[in-house]
Every structure is written in structure tokens, then in C-alpha cells.
């Protein structure tokens, strides 16, 4: 740490120069240090103890009330010899010490204090009821002189005689001091996620360094691995118990069901979602990992830790030096859960089994109003958790609003107007967003709650606009409209959706039939697009936005079985849609489908479109695919 001080000395010396370069010198020196060198800090709990590893203090979440943790804090400013700078005269030198009368920075690491400054008078400072909040693990109170102060022009004197370069301020002394240790309970995911002041708000530990360890009663398990990181859940808690670990790219050596021994990183909010950034993690039976790790750990051969399984032949062989080094460095947190005597009885299979934790069952969302604006706190409680939702209607309309192709929608342009129009249509997904984030919109059939589905094509192989479907029969009228007939002429394979370019804007347009999911499962995110980086605990919270359209509820599936389609409904809807787009004559169903969000089936076309826009002098036609002779 940088320290600045000055020495004053009374020096009496006499030197006598001699010939041939020889000399003699007698020196007498008395030194005295002026200015603050450090702070002596003592914190005394007003009730309870300092906590111990075996009996830690509970993390306090309030500065007041029954759960508050308060101390009496005393501090003394001392010089280099440990003398309090109280303005008294040094008995050895007869020189008056500086009287230290400054206000300096006060903090606790980790955590927050009810006061961020402390004021010294004649070298002594005291706060009788200083409250500590959000402290976890081992914590200390710090007193630091690190801030530049404006110069008092009525008394233009700086402590330690250190002025800023412009002469208008006083440089800090960089003196510091810490209290005794306090031992609070270890950090958990819930401590990071739950904000008691605003349950739908930012993490109370925003910008702190998060350190989470698996402990008895708090098993940590990987619940999903996606293209930018992975999700973990603490099975010891029931809400606010999951978090996203952002790794920039898909992490290697991480799989669903892995036991996480430890994970750490910077606590951040990105679009309103709490996550750990720049992380490091340790997974049972695997090496200490970072976001750059891609190679799997070597697996034990039949002869145990000193032999390896060849990845090509699958047979046991001697390990290389690098493999041995990696194997001996594997993460093992079993001693946190079991005694030495218990571990001595373990087999290789026991150790391998300990590396797997059964992920929690998905939380079933059955309340139709769950995704409403009034329920943001309950959604926040499930952030990053695995949930399941029933009866989802998928998007049927798609439009590419990125007119200039630069992969973003320009604010205040026709592109933005296009996107806003799509957002206001409860059947529409904007295509550039779909291609950039693999994210499409859906709605619950009960209550019409909006949500989005991410990564379905990456994880489940489902591409919402490019699906193919099979018709178990034959309809020759469909061959001209994206369908292929099998060699035995018993079935046809068709494009699920229809694509064209708008003749006026040249924008890519796609229409699809109505499709339903019986069940959708995955990790839940509540995304606030206008909240890319919260600056305080009160800036970034869902209810601030007032409109559901400003809050995205996103679900990231894990497996192909996380999207369960209503096969019977979807098949019938696909047949109706195929009949409609095959009627491509003037004023036919296909033309009606392009301009209406409703008329993409023959029945709707006949009952609604023709009644509103009847062809002059003609009878009400039926779709050509049903009555192909009408096209003759």
C-alpha cells in the first residue's frame, strides 16, 4: 500500500576531511515522525460473539431490528512509532505531535456498514452502534485514508504536508487499519439472489466477489449447460436458490448433474439477471476449471489412479506425466461431507457416484397469472431455476425488421417501428432476434401469459421456421407448394411454414400454422432489456418498467424432451394451413393469409375473408386443395 510521510530531524554533525581521501565523521541524529502512519481499530460486538468456524454468525440483512448485528467501533490514528496523534508533546523530543482531525473511509469486506465514514478528533474516533449488513465468511472492518480532500482556504494546511498538484486539495496519507475478524456463515446462492429491500430487485451483493461452496445441507448441482455458461441450483433452499454462471462460451467439462464443490466470480446484473462473471469453478472428480477449459479429464483405468483409459481404444494403459498431474489435481470435496473413517471405506464407484447429484424436479407453474406484471417478485424467486409450463401457443408470424442487415434494430427508424409492431402482435416474433439469439415468443393458453423460448434449435433441434412435417396420405395439389411425395405415393413431406418477401418493403416474411406445446421445461430468466448494468440496488427491478412488454420471461430448455408437442392438434392445424397456402389463386386463401393474422385456414378464409371482401359477381369459393377442380 502506498504510504506518504515526511521526516523532520535535528542533525548535528562535524566532519574533518583528511589527506589521500581519508576522512572522519561524527554524527548525532534525533528523528521524529510527523503525520498519520496507520489506524489502530477495535470492534466490540454489542451482543453475541465474533463468530467461529464451528459456530458462525448469521448473515445480517438489515441495519435495524432484531436481526441486526451491531458493534462499538473505536479507532486511533497513530504515527510511525505507534503514538496517537492527539496533539500532545513528545516527551523525548519536546516536539508537539500533529492533532489528527479528519474524516476517512469506513468499510467492511465483504459486506456493508450503516456508516461509510468515521471522523477523528485529536486522533481518536468512535461509533457506538455501527451496524454490519450482508457480511459472509470471514469479514473485517477497514478504516482507510484514501480520498483526496479539498483544501480549507481559511486554514490551508494539509496533513503530512501533501498537497495535490494543483494546490487546491490534500493528498491522502493512504494510512489504513483493520479490526478483528468476524466469522459469518458461508455464502449461499440465496444470499446473492434474495434482496430483502426489494424482492424483485438486484442482488444485495452487487459488485461483490461471490464465493459459493457446496456444504452439507447445501448440495450444488448443475441443472443446465448452454452456449454462454451453465446454471447451478442449491438443493438446500427452495427459492432464490439458482444462479447463472456466465462463461462467454459453452464451458467444457460441465454436465447436467455434476456436483459443484465451489464456484466464484464477480456478482453482476445483466439485463436484470443475477450472474457470476469471470468465474472459476471446481466440480467433483474434475480439474479446477475456467471458461477456457475444453478437454475432459483422464478417466481411471482398471488399475486405479495410476492408469488411464485410452480415449481411442477404450483400454487401460499407463498414464502420461501430464495425465497423472491432471488426475492428482482433480477436485475432491468429499471430506466436507464425510469423515476420514467413512472415506477410507469408499470404493472407486463410491467416489464416482458422489460426483453426481440428482437435479431438483422442475417447479410446476400452474397459475395462469404467474407471468403477469404483478407477480415479478415470485418470478424473481425462481430466477435460473428449472420450471415447467403447460399449454403453450407458439408464434405464427415472423418478420425480419433488420432492413440494412447490420444485425441490430436502429432506434428511431422504420426498423424500430417494424419491431414495435411485431412486439404488439401477440403472435409475432422478429426474425433478426430469432437468428441472433435463437429466441422465439410463445403464450400460455390459460391467461395468455407471454414468454420466450431460447436455444431450442441448439439444445432440442427444433427450428421454429424451418421445420418439415409428414402427411400420411397423398394430395397432388400440394406438390407445387413445398411438398414432396414419397416413392410409393403413400405420404408427403412438406415445409411446415410459408416464406415470402413483402413486395413493398422487401422484408422477409414467414407464416406458420398454429402449434401448441403440451409442456415446456427449462431454466427461467426474467430479462429486462433496458437494464444491462445496474448501478445500484434500486435501479434494476422488474416492476419499475410497469409494462409486461418491457419484461421478457425466457425459458432455456435442456433436452429434446423439454418441448412436448401436442401432436394431434398440430397435425390437424398443419393440414388446414397446407390447404390454405395451396389455394394461391387471385384472392385465394394464401393471399388472405399474408395480410391477416387470422385467415390461414380454409374454414377461416371461407367464413371470414370472403364475407368481408366478396369477389364481385362470383360465388363463395372453397380452397383449391380441397376442390382442385375449381382451378381448372
Amino acid at each position: 500500500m502506498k504510504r506518504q510521510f515526511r521526516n523532520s530531524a535535528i542533525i548535528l554533525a562535524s566532519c574533518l576531511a583528511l589527506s589521500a581521501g581519508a576522512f572522519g565523521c561524527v554524527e548525532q541524529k534525533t528523528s521524529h515522525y510527523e503525520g498519520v502512519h496507520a489506524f489502530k481499530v477495535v470492534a466490540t460486538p454489542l451482543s453475541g460473539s465474533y463468530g467461529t468456524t464451528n459456530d458462525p454468525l448469521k448473515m445480517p440483512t438489515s441495519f435495524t431490528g432484531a436481526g441486526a448485528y451491531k458493534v462499538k467501533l473505536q479507532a486511533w490514528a497513530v504515527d510511525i512509532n505507534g503514538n496517537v496523534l492527539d496533539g500532545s508533546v513528545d516527551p523525548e523530543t519536546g516536539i508537539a505531535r500533529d492533532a489528527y482531525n479528519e474524516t476517512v473511509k469506513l468499510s467492511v469486506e465483504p459486506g456493508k456498514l450503516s456508516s461509510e465514514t468515521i471522523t477523528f478528533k485529536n486522533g481518536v474516533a468512535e461509533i457506538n452502534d455501527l451496524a454490519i449488513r450482508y457480511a459472509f465468511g470471514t469479514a473485517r472492518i477497514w478504516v482507510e485514508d484514501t480520498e483526496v480532500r479539498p483544501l480549507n482556504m481559511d486554514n490551508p494546511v494539509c496533513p503530512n504536508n501533501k498537497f495535490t498538484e494543483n494546490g487546491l486539495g490534500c493528498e491522502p496519507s493512504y494510512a489504513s487499519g483493520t479490526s478483528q475478524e468476524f466469522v459469518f456463515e458461508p455464502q449461499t446462492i440465496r444470499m446473492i439472489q434474495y434482496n430483502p429491500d426489494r424482492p424483485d430487485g438486484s442482488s444485495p451483493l452487487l459488485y461483490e466477489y461471490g464465493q459459493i461452496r457446496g456444504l452439507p445441507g447445501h448440495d450444488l448441482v448443475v441443472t443446465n449447460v448452454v452456449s454462454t455458461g451453465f446454471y447451478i441450483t442449491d438443493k438446500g433452499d427452495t427459492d432464490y436458490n439458482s444462479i447463472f454462471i456466465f462463461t462467454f462460451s459453452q464451458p467444457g467439462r460441465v454436465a447436467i448433474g455434476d456436483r459443484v464443490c465451489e464456484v466464484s466470480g464477480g456478482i453482476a446484473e445483466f439485463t436484470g439477471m443475477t450472474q457470476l462473471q469471470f468465474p472459476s469453478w471446481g466440480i467433483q472428480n474434475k480439474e479446477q476449471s475456467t471458461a477456457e477449459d475444453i478437454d475432459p479429464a483422464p478417466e481411471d483405468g482398471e488399475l486405479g489412479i495410476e492408469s488411464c483409459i485410452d480415449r481411442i481404444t477404450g483400454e487401460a494403459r499407463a498414464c502420461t506425466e501430464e495425465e497423472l498431474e491432471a488426475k492428482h489435481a482433480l477436485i475432491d470435496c468429499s471430506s466436507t461431507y464425510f469423515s476420514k473413517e467413512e472415506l477410507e471405506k469408499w470404493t472407486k464407484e463410491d467416489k464416482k457416484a458422489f460426483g453426481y447429484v440428482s437435479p431438483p424436479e422442475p417447479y410446476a407453474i400452474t397459475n395462469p397469472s404467474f407471468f403477469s406484471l404483478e407477480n415479478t417478485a415470485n418470478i424473481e424467486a425462481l430466477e435460473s431455476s428449472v420450471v415447467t409450463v403447460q399449454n403453450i401457443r407458439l408464434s405464427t408470424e415472423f418478420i425480419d425488421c433488420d432492413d440494412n442487415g447490420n444485425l441490430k434494430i436502429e432506434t428511431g427508424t422504420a426498423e424500430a417501428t417494424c419491431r414495435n409492431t411485431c412486439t404488439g402482435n401477440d403472435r409475432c416474433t422478429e426474425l433478426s432476434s430469432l437468428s441472433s439469439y435463437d429466441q422465439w415468443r410463445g403464450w400460455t393458453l390459460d391467461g395468455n401469459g407471454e414468454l420466450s423460448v431460447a436455444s431450442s434449435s441448439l439444445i432440442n433441434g427444433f427450428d421454429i421456421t424451418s421445420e418439415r412435417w409428414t402427411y400420411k396420405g397423398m394430395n397432388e395439389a400440394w406438390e407445387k407448394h413445398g411438398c414432396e411425395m414419397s416413392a410409393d405415393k403413400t405420404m408427403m413431406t412438406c415445409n411446415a411454414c410459408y416464406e415470402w418477401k413483402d413486395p413493398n418493403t422487401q422484408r422477409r416474411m414467414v407464416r406458420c400454422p398454429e402449434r401448441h406445446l403440451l409442456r415446456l421445461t427449462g431454466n427461467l430468466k426474467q430479462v429486462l432489456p433496458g437494464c444491462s448494468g445496474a448501478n445500484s440496488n434500486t435501479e434494476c427491478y422488474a416492476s419499475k418498467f410497469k409494462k409486461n412488454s418491457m419484461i421478457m420471461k425466457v425459458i432455456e430448455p435442456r433436452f429434446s424432451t423439454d418441448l412436448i408437442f401436442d401432436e394431434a392438434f398440430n397435425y390437424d392445424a398443419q393440414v388446414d394451413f397446407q390447404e390454405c397456402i395451396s389455394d394461391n389463386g387471385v384472392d385465394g386463401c394464401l393471399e388472405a393469409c399474408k395480410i391477416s393474422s387470422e385467415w390461414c385456414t380454409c374454414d377461416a378464409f371461407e367464413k371470414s375473408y370472403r364475407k368481408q371482401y366478396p369477389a364481385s359477381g362470383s360465388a363463395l369459393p372453397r380452397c383449391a386443395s380441397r376442390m382442385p377442380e375449381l382451378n381448372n
Side-chain angles (χ1 to χ4, degrees):
M1 181 175 291
K2 180 179 178 183
R3 299 188 183 116
Q4 296 178 337
F5 57 86
R6 62 188 178 93
N7 287 307
S8 64
I10 302 173
I11 302 176
L12 300 174
S14 62
C15 297
L16 176 63
L18 302 178
S19 62
F23 67 91
C25 179
V26 178
E27 180 182 64
Q28 293 179 338
K29 180 178 180 180
T30 302
S31 296
H32 176 69
Y33 177 83
E34 294 179 2
V36 62
H37 174 69
F39 300 110
K40 179 183 177 183
V41 184
V42 174
T44 305
L46 296 185
S47 61
S49 67
Y50 292 95
T52 65
T53 301
N54 294 328
D55 187 20
L57 302 166
K58 288 289 184 182
M59 185 183 82
T61 58
S62 174
F63 289 143
T64 60
Y69 183 81
K70 295 185 177 183
V71 301
K72 177 179 180 180
L73 187 71
Q74 297 169 290
W76 296 265
V78 298
D79 64 17
I80 197 169
N81 297 314
N83 300 310
V84 178
L85 297 175
D86 55 6
S88 62
V89 175
D90 188 322
E92 294 183 4
T93 64
I95 300 174
R97 301 186 181 99
D98 292 339
Y100 191 75
N101 300 296
E102 300 294 339
T103 298
V104 298
K105 181 181 177 182
L106 193 61
S107 63
V108 62
E109 297 295 337
K112 299 182 185 299
L113 293 175
S114 56
S115 176
E116 296 181 350
T117 61
I118 188 169
T119 300
F120 286 82
K121 183 176 182 180
N122 293 329
V124 180
E126 185 174 285
I127 299 178
N128 289 320
D129 58 348
L130 182 67
I132 301 175
R133 188 184 193 192
Y134 298 137
F136 57 88
T138 301
R140 293 175 181 266
I141 296 175
W142 285 75
V143 178
E144 299 175 282
D145 179 17
T146 57
E147 305 294 330
V148 173
R149 300 182 185 84
L151 187 65
N152 182 355
M153 294 305 176
D154 295 331
N155 183 27
V157 177
C158 285
N160 298 6
N161 201 31
K162 292 295 183 179
F163 294 85
T164 57
E165 291 184 1
N166 60 14
L168 300 178
C170 297
E171 289 282 0
S173 66
Y174 295 98
S176 66
T178 64
S179 71
Q180 311 95 310
E181 283 187 352
F182 300 89
V183 181
F184 293 89
E185 59 186 335
Q187 191 179 64
T188 64
I189 294 176
R190 197 177 197 280
M191 292 180 190
I192 296 174
Q193 283 281 24
Y194 177 62
N195 188 332
D197 294 336
R198 185 175 290 281
D200 69 339
S202 305
S203 168
L205 303 179
L206 190 61
Y207 306 130
E208 297 279 2
Y209 186 70
Q211 295 176 291
I212 308 167
R213 294 177 55 216
L215 298 168
H218 288 279
D219 289 329
L220 304 178
V221 58
V222 175
T223 57
N224 201 352
V225 182
V226 297
S227 60
T228 57
F230 60 99
Y231 294 87
I232 64 173
T233 293
D234 182 347
K235 295 187 68 175
D237 288 314
T238 57
D239 59 4
Y240 296 97
N241 64 334
S242 300
I243 195 168
F244 182 62
I245 313 301
F246 177 63
T247 61
F248 302 95
S249 58
Q250 185 160 342
R253 307 176 189 167
V254 180
I256 294 174
D258 275 348
R259 176 184 294 277
V260 179
C261 292
E262 58 188 13
V263 62
S264 59
I267 300 172
E269 294 283 340
F270 181 71
T271 59
M273 182 179 176
T274 307
Q275 55 187 240
L276 294 187
Q277 296 184 346
F278 303 101
S280 175
W281 62 90
I283 290 177
Q284 178 69 25
N285 302 333
K286 299 182 180 181
E287 301 103 314
Q288 182 72 32
S289 302
T290 65
E292 290 76 28
D293 289 328
I294 56 174
D295 295 327
E299 187 177 350
D300 290 348
E302 295 177 358
L303 302 179
I305 191 69
E306 301 301 322
S307 68
C308 291
I309 294 178
D310 191 284
R311 293 172 183 168
I312 298 177
T313 66
E315 297 182 358
R317 58 166 173 76
C319 299
T320 65
E321 290 185 7
E322 292 79 7
E323 287 173 329
L324 282 174
E325 184 178 352
K327 288 162 71 65
H328 287 292
L330 297 185
I331 297 296
D332 184 6
C333 55
S334 57
S335 60
T336 303
Y337 296 82
F338 301 96
S339 68
K340 181 179 178 181
E341 291 73 22
E342 289 174 310
L343 293 176
E344 287 176 348
K345 300 176 183 178
W346 273 25
T347 64
K348 175 183 173 181
E349 287 70 27
D350 291 331
K351 184 176 180 180
K352 185 175 182 180
F354 181 67
Y356 178 81
V357 178
S358 176
E361 288 295 317
Y363 179 90
I365 297 175
T366 57
N367 184 350
S369 62
F370 180 84
F371 292 109
S372 67
L373 183 61
E374 292 73 24
N375 203 41
T376 54
N378 289 328
I379 298 174
E380 184 75 19
L382 293 176
E383 181 181 88
S384 296
S385 297
V386 180
V387 302
T388 187
V389 188
Q390 294 182 337
N391 299 323
I392 308 295
R393 173 169 57 84
L394 282 60
S395 295
T396 60
E397 300 178 45
F398 302 84
I399 180 171
D400 188 352
C401 297
D402 181 18
D403 296 334
N404 58 15
N406 66 351
L407 302 180
K408 61 181 181 180
I409 303 299
E410 310 288 350
T411 302
T413 67
E415 293 181 345
T417 302
C418 171
R419 180 181 60 185
N420 292 340
T421 300
C422 181
T423 301
N425 179 350
D426 69 0
R427 294 174 180 263
C428 185
T429 289
E430 201 276 316
L431 279 170
S432 67
S433 175
L434 175 64
S435 60
S436 297
Y437 305 107
D438 188 23
Q439 188 167 290
W440 43 268
R441 298 166 72 195
W443 294 264
T444 58
L445 293 176
D446 297 328
N448 202 33
E450 181 181 340
L451 51 86
S452 294
V453 183
S455 303
S456 58
S457 66
L458 295 176
I459 298 172
N460 301 284
F462 174 68
D463 189 337
I464 191 170
T465 62
S466 301
E467 283 292 289
R468 302 273 288 173
W469 70 288
T470 300
Y471 176 66
K472 298 176 182 178
M474 186 178 65
N475 190 325
E476 295 180 359
W478 293 359
E479 284 190 277
K480 299 178 182 178
H481 307 287
C483 295
E484 299 173 358
M485 190 179 298
S486 63
D488 60 2
K489 296 186 177 182
T490 59
M491 62 180 59
M492 308 188 72
T493 302
C494 309
N495 292 324
C497 303
Y498 179 78
E499 180 176 333
W500 76 98
K501 279 193 174 182
D502 183 273
N504 298 317
T505 64
Q506 293 302 302
R507 288 173 177 147
R508 180 186 171 209
M509 313 287 287
V510 179
R511 288 299 301 270
C512 301
E514 185 162 330
R515 289 169 287 185
H516 291 175
L517 292 171
L518 292 175
R519 187 174 71 245
L520 169 64
T521 303
N523 294 77
L524 175 65
K525 300 191 294 185
Q526 185 168 239
V527 177
L528 316 179
C531 228
S532 59
N535 294 319
S536 73
N537 287 348
T538 58
E539 277 193 9
C540 196
Y541 54 93
S543 56
K544 168 184 177 180
F545 290 88
K546 307 299 183 184
K547 295 181 180 179
N548 272 321
S549 60
M550 299 297 294
I551 306 171
M552 298 172 62
K553 278 74 70 173
V554 182
I555 292 179
E556 290 202 89
R558 308 156 301 167
F559 318 111
S560 59
T561 53
D562 282 344
L563 273 71
I564 304 299
F565 291 89
D566 186 341
E567 300 290 352
F569 177 90
N570 293 351
Y571 184 83
D572 291 342
Q574 189 72 62
V575 171
D576 289 343
F577 181 79
Q578 189 66 39
E579 289 178 340
C580 176
I581 64 173
S582 296
D583 181 28
N584 65 338
V586 177
D587 292 331
C589 188
L590 175 60
E591 294 304 311
C593 178
K594 291 180 179 181
I595 63 174
S596 169
S597 61
E598 301 176 9
W599 304 317
C600 284
T601 68
C602 288
D603 288 341
F605 172 60
E606 293 166 6
K607 293 178 181 178
S608 302
Y609 181 76
R610 280 301 186 187
K611 288 182 179 180
Q612 295 184 47
Y613 306 100
S616 176
S618 64
L620 186 67
R622 304 179 71 182
C623 280
S625 59
R626 292 183 178 178
M627 300 291 291
E629 65 273 12
L630 293 179
N631 276 350
N632 296 333

